[in-house]
Amino acid sequence: MNTKKLALGIGTIWMSMLLLTSGCGSRSAERPTVEPVDYVDPYIGNISHLLVPTYPTIHLPNSMLRLYPERRDFTGDMLKGLPSVVTGHRRGSAFHISPFQGDKSKLRPVVNYSYDLEEIKPYAYSVYLDEALINVDFGVSHQSAMYAFEFEKEEPVSLVLNSLNGAVKWDGEAFSGYQLIENNTKIYLYLKPAAQPKAVNALVGGKLVDAQEASGRNACLVLDYGTDISALELQYGISFIDEAQARQNMEREVVGKSLAEIQSIGRDLWNQTLGKISVSGTDEDAKKVFYTSLYRTFERPVCLSEDGRYYSAFDGTIHQDNGRPFYTDDWIWDSYRAHHPLNVLIDSEKENDILHSFILMAEQMDNMWMPTFPEVSGDSRRMNSNHAVASVIDAYRKGLRGFDLEKAFLACKGAITEKTLAPWSGMPAGELDQFYKDEGYFPALPEGVEETVPEVHGFESRQPVAVTLGTSYDEWCLAQIAKELDREEDYKKHLENSYNYRNLFHAQTHFFHPKDAQGNFIEPFDYRFSGGMGARKFYGENNGWVYRWDVQHNVSDLVGLMGGPEQFVANLNATFNEPLGRSKYGFYAQLPDHTGNVGQFSMANEPSLHVPYLYNYAGQPWKTQKRIRTLMDQWFRNDLMGVPGDEDGGGMTSFVVFSQLGFYPVTPGLAMYNIGSPEFEKASITLPNGKTFTITAENYAPEHKYIQSATLNGAPLDQPYFWHDDIRDGGELTVVMGSKANFEWGANQAPPSGVSNEEFQQLDL
């Protein structure tokens, strides 16, 4: 007997009886409609194997004011004060807020709290500080917010406000100040309590001092309310411009509104934003994973425009935004793969503004080089490669025209050819870069040889395979921009350079293998463990098994290098089957970013995201369908460990959004999507032009993961891909699903790669 069906049947009968006897079926007592934001659980992924993949972030879409409760980790037993704002992805709080009752000798710049009854929604936060007996409620706007405290004890009330490194003051009616972040970037706060304190003192060395301003480390003021108050509301604004602007932001967004109104406005905005995609089906957990992932994609980048102005750390000055939002805090190495393509699909105006912001950053810096890791405090030049070029050509090829392509080309070309390719460095090109230009690969340093090249980071090392492969892709993207601009010489040069990955391909092993400056493969070599911590001496965070597939722009050529589709599939299968080779302790001690393992495949790191879709290129789309659904079921779940690794504020969850919808952009810059396996019975995407693209799964069931047949816009579709032009003006992809694979569907027409046969024939390779 199917006990699951029996249980469901009994449950249905019981619920029907309950509705009849309780009157719940009447129209006046209908269950409220579940809206998209109700499916969001900010706690999903707060615990992981090693890294912290997600934080339970409270914010409005792409807004400057973001925060999360600050504790050691999700299981931390104490809150470190109450946050007012985090200044960047995964940063700590600025300006802690600490309500306090009791012995003032126990006051500290940040009060630690035991807590309970915590509830987090994207737009609201509440918590009970159980030992302090204080109820906390919170609502957020774009650049301002509101706290409400209820004090249960009949003891004197104090409010501790601090800057970890800056200056603060009390002007008779409000608290204000700044905190230094880094690179001379400051964040400002203006906070006004609903009730005026009886006294204000500075807290210095654990003692109250008669002063209404403080500066330096842990600059701290204490507002003393005595025993005449049982509740207190705080409204505050933040700014990267100055304290006056922080006050304007507060007055514009929250003054005159109740906390309930602020939360309601936030809820409505989230429903409007998440509602750009609607999904239906019987798998409620899948909906929670989907909408939580979609919410994550709106954490970054953040809009810094404040009443028509913005502070830019890229030149340290305040600019007029001329009516266009300025965005930053975007780790492009993570986000170019799926996050930017998702913006193009559902929010093209925002993506235009983001790319325009990138160009402004390049113009504002000393050298006109596209940023790689633009943050609130400037470009930190982390990771390897210069992948903003991919987001530029991907947007342009999909019809976006809200940025200057010529300027983007110059900035991208400068970043690729004038800045060093050495990871984590913003130095000008040096001898290793000249070697790359002359020989077509980044040279590896043999084991035991001391590094002397100044632009090489002491810990991150050369990462020569990652650099060569990533730059090959970047040069393909640069060639495509040159083609759009009729720059024939640049087009041909960079298209030829896009084949540089071939220079590190080992024909016997079918891996990309580091070479020294003399052209010799580094030997002996282990594709799992050679390269030290994070395999950084040769790869980057991931080992050779992951970088084996890092040729996003020319998969068909990779198929050929490996000997054809059959061997390509065998190598893919081996990736998912090769054992760790050590104990988990030993493996992760060296490769902590390489988690979420299925064999040597790492679901936890961005270079792996396109790999499950590569079966489409070798005549076995059914294996892509099987692999994607298996990975989604294993690693992206509705629980605290439901994200396998380093999520990076939309970098990985955009992959989840695409994959649950049933398609994915394997090659940003090529306006094409690979088809995977839709998880929902129906999904409707509202496109920026107001049209709708719908994915419908006939014969739907959560366990039906294999495509039996398909139509696109009413015409039969027997290929595992479609073009952006096919859906730009709306349309419908209909797939008939089944529980067992159809080996024939899509097997005879592989997705095209970034270089056509005609283009290849014209190259001098």
Side-chain angles (χ1 to χ4, degrees):
M1 179 180 291
N2 190 323
T3 55
K4 183 177 180 181
K5 287 184 178 179
L6 178 62
L8 287 171
I10 293 172
T12 302
I13 294 170
W14 180 86
M15 183 59 70
S16 299
M17 294 175 63
L18 179 64
L19 289 171
L20 288 170
T21 57
S22 67
C24 291
S26 66
R27 185 173 181 84
S28 61
E30 284 181 359
R31 180 183 176 184
T33 301
V34 178
E35 296 180 299
V37 76
D38 297 318
Y39 285 108
V40 175
D41 182 358
Y43 292 113
I44 290 178
N46 285 187
I47 302 177
S48 187
H49 297 88
L50 295 173
L51 305 174
V52 179
T54 66
Y55 289 87
T57 311
I58 305 106
H59 65 104
L60 299 188
N62 299 104
S63 291
M64 201 164 79
L65 202 158
R66 299 166 289 176
L67 54 79
Y68 35 74
E70 192 167 352
R71 46 193 168 226
R72 186 173 61 253
D73 53 35
F74 176 81
T75 61
D77 217 24
M78 303 291 285
L79 293 180
K80 185 180 178 181
L82 296 172
S84 64
V85 59
V86 295
T87 57
H89 180 61
R90 295 212 303 255
R91 289 184 181 270
S93 301
F95 302 111
H96 291 85
I97 299 171
S98 301
F100 182 85
Q101 287 181 283
D103 183 358
K104 289 185 172 59
S105 67
K106 296 181 180 180
L107 285 172
R108 297 293 181 268
V110 181
V111 177
N112 292 326
Y113 298 107
S114 171
Y115 67 97
D116 198 4
L117 304 177
E118 184 180 75
E119 184 176 5
I120 296 181
K121 301 179 186 297
Y123 53 87
Y125 176 60
S126 63
V127 69
Y128 180 53
L129 309 179
D130 50 11
E131 292 184 354
L133 304 184
I134 300 173
N135 288 292
V136 178
D137 203 0
F138 174 82
V140 67
S141 190
H142 298 282
Q143 297 163 350
S144 53
M146 181 174 177
Y147 269 110
F149 305 128
E150 292 182 1
F151 304 98
E152 295 180 358
K153 293 190 292 187
E154 295 182 359
E155 295 184 13
V157 171
S158 299
L159 187 66
V160 187
L161 303 168
N162 82 336
S163 167
L164 294 179
N165 182 22
V168 296
K169 63 182 178 183
W170 175 260
D171 66 4
E173 65 173 23
F175 169 92
S176 61
Y178 74 86
Q179 181 168 316
L180 182 65
I181 305 171
E182 62 183 5
N183 297 336
N184 295 317
T185 300
K186 297 176 181 177
I187 187 168
Y188 299 88
L189 179 81
Y190 184 89
L191 182 149
K192 189 171 183 178
Q196 293 297 295
K198 293 184 174 182
V200 175
N201 296 283
L203 184 63
V204 181
K207 297 182 179 180
L208 293 174
V209 177
D210 185 14
Q212 295 192 339
E213 58 183 50
S215 62
R217 296 283 181 181
N218 281 319
C220 186
L221 296 182
V222 178
L223 280 58
D224 185 354
Y225 283 92
T227 57
D228 298 336
I229 194 168
S230 60
L232 180 64
E233 291 184 346
L234 310 175
Q235 293 182 335
Y236 68 91
I238 62 163
S239 174
F240 287 98
I241 295 174
D242 55 29
E243 294 167 18
Q245 184 64 53
R247 178 176 184 172
Q248 285 181 232
N249 295 340
M250 179 194 75
E251 291 174 343
R252 171 169 32 84
E253 293 183 346
V254 299
V255 168
K257 296 183 178 72
S258 68
L259 180 62
E261 287 174 316
I262 293 168
Q263 292 174 339
S264 178
I265 291 169
R267 176 182 174 86
D268 289 345
L269 180 57
W270 270 115
N271 277 322
Q272 177 186 341
T273 301
L274 299 173
K276 293 178 180 180
I277 307 178
S278 64
V279 298
S280 60
T282 58
D283 190 340
E284 293 296 293
D285 281 339
K287 295 176 188 176
K288 290 179 180 179
V289 170
F290 179 82
Y291 280 114
T292 302
S293 298
L294 187 58
Y295 137 84
R296 291 283 175 200
T297 71
F298 288 96
E299 181 186 340
R300 310 169 70 198
V302 296
C303 174
L304 290 195
S305 288
E306 308 176 52
D307 289 331
R309 299 185 298 159
Y310 67 91
Y311 169 78
S312 173
F314 299 88
D315 63 359
T317 60
I318 297 167
H319 298 263
Q320 297 292 322
D321 70 8
N322 298 316
R324 296 194 70 172
F326 179 81
Y327 288 90
T328 189
D329 198 17
D330 185 359
W331 297 355
I332 305 172
W333 187 87
D334 304 282
S335 62
Y336 86 89
R337 305 166 196 270
H339 195 179
H340 282 272
L342 183 61
N343 286 338
V344 171
L345 186 66
I346 65 175
D347 202 345
S348 58
E349 182 179 357
K350 180 177 73 179
E351 183 65 12
N352 271 322
D353 290 335
I354 292 169
L355 297 176
H356 176 68
S357 298
F358 287 174
I359 295 169
L360 291 176
M361 294 171 196
E363 291 178 322
Q364 291 164 4
M365 289 187 282
D366 293 337
N367 299 290
M368 191 171 172
W369 300 339
M370 268 292 192
T372 55
F373 263 59
E375 299 185 85
V376 169
S377 54
D379 192 13
S380 55
R381 297 290 180 194
R382 286 186 260 181
M383 299 305 292
N384 54 65
S385 308
N386 296 276
H387 292 318
V389 64
S391 297
V392 169
I393 186 58
D394 190 63
Y396 194 84
R397 284 274 170 84
K398 292 173 181 173
L400 275 65
R401 296 295 184 267
F403 57 93
D404 190 321
L405 188 65
E406 181 73 37
K407 286 184 178 180
F409 174 80
L410 295 175
C412 291
K413 183 177 180 180
I416 295 168
T417 64
E418 298 171 9
K419 184 183 72 65
T420 183
L421 298 174
W424 290 67
S425 177
M427 296 175 67
E431 61 181 271
L432 297 180
D433 304 280
Q434 188 59 50
F435 186 96
Y436 172 84
K437 292 170 185 175
D438 293 339
E439 304 298 331
Y441 68 95
F442 214 61
L445 195 66
E447 293 278 12
V449 178
E450 184 179 355
E451 182 65 77
T452 59
V453 177
E455 56 265 27
V456 176
H457 190 282
F459 176 75
E460 295 294 335
S461 304
R462 295 188 180 187
Q463 303 181 20
V465 177
V467 167
T468 301
L469 298 180
T471 305
S472 298
Y473 173 58
D474 289 345
E475 296 217 59
W476 175 81
C477 294
L478 194 60
Q480 304 312 305
I481 302 177
K483 185 177 183 179
E484 297 289 348
L485 295 171
D486 295 322
R487 289 175 168 264
E488 187 63 28
E489 184 177 343
D490 283 314
Y491 167 65
K492 184 176 180 181
K493 172 186 175 183
H494 293 294
L495 191 62
E496 288 179 354
N497 290 346
S498 76
Y499 279 84
N500 280 341
Y501 59 86
R502 286 182 167 190
N503 295 321
L504 295 184
F505 186 76
H506 197 303
Q508 281 69 51
T509 66
H510 292 180
F511 281 84
F512 290 102
H513 195 123
K515 283 182 178 177
D516 62 22
Q518 288 72 46
N520 302 310
F521 286 121
I522 300 293
E523 298 289 357
F525 201 82
D526 185 331
Y527 293 114
R528 290 171 295 189
F529 302 118
S530 289
M533 188 65 183
R536 284 173 170 84
K537 289 189 182 297
F538 303 124
Y539 300 99
E541 293 190 349
N542 303 272
N543 64 21
W545 281 88
V546 168
Y547 279 97
R548 191 178 198 181
W549 310 104
D550 200 30
V551 188
Q552 291 169 265
H553 62 293
N554 212 346
V555 181
S556 62
D557 190 52
L558 185 59
V559 172
L561 289 175
M562 289 185 174
E566 185 176 344
Q567 187 58 51
F568 185 84
V569 167
N571 291 343
L572 269 174
N573 291 342
T575 300
F576 291 102
N577 283 283
E578 181 71 13
L580 294 183
R582 290 179 183 170
S583 67
K584 288 185 178 180
Y585 173 84
F587 187 91
Y588 296 133
Q590 182 182 341
L591 297 161
D593 297 276
H594 194 128
T595 59
N597 285 84
V598 181
Q600 291 293 322
F601 172 82
S602 169
M603 191 70 261
N605 211 303
E606 283 79 6
S608 293
L609 298 184
H610 70 290
V611 175
Y613 289 91
L614 296 183
Y615 287 106
N616 283 352
Y617 293 81
Q620 298 196 23
W622 71 273
K623 282 195 173 180
T624 280
Q625 296 155 31
K626 176 182 178 181
R627 182 58 64 191
I628 282 292
R629 290 291 286 274
T630 301
L631 290 168
M632 296 298 295
D633 290 345
Q634 289 173 339
W635 294 113
F636 299 99
R637 307 179 310 275
N638 178 27
D639 61 49
L640 284 168
M641 297 187 73
V643 177
D646 204 355
E647 199 281 316
D648 286 328
M652 186 172 291
T653 46
S654 298
F655 161 85
V656 177
V657 171
F658 271 119
S659 294
Q660 286 190 281
L661 291 173
F663 58 101
Y664 184 76
V666 167
T667 310
L670 190 64
M672 179 193 73
Y673 302 99
N674 269 255
I675 296 175
S677 177
E679 278 200 47
F680 300 108
E681 186 171 13
K682 186 175 183 179
S684 297
I685 305 169
T686 301
L687 303 173
N689 59 9
K691 303 294 180 63
T692 302
F693 174 54
T694 302
I695 304 99
T696 301
E698 297 183 354
N699 192 33
Y700 164 82
E703 66 272 18
H704 288 180
K705 55 179 171 281
Y706 295 107
I707 295 176
Q708 309 298 306
S709 62
T711 60
L712 181 63
N713 300 331
L717 182 71
D718 193 25
Q719 61 190 39
Y721 67 93
F722 57 89
W723 296 94
H724 186 76
D725 279 350
D726 294 329
I727 66 169
R728 181 183 295 173
D729 295 321
E732 183 171 14
L733 173 66
T734 300
V735 291
V736 178
M737 306 300 291
S739 60
K740 296 180 180 179
N742 178 353
F743 301 131
E744 302 301 320
W745 182 83
N748 298 317
Q749 192 169 346
S753 290
V755 184
S756 67
N757 290 331
E758 293 77 12
E759 289 174 308
F760 178 76
Q761 296 299 327
Q762 296 175 16
L763 297 178
D764 183 19
L765 294 175

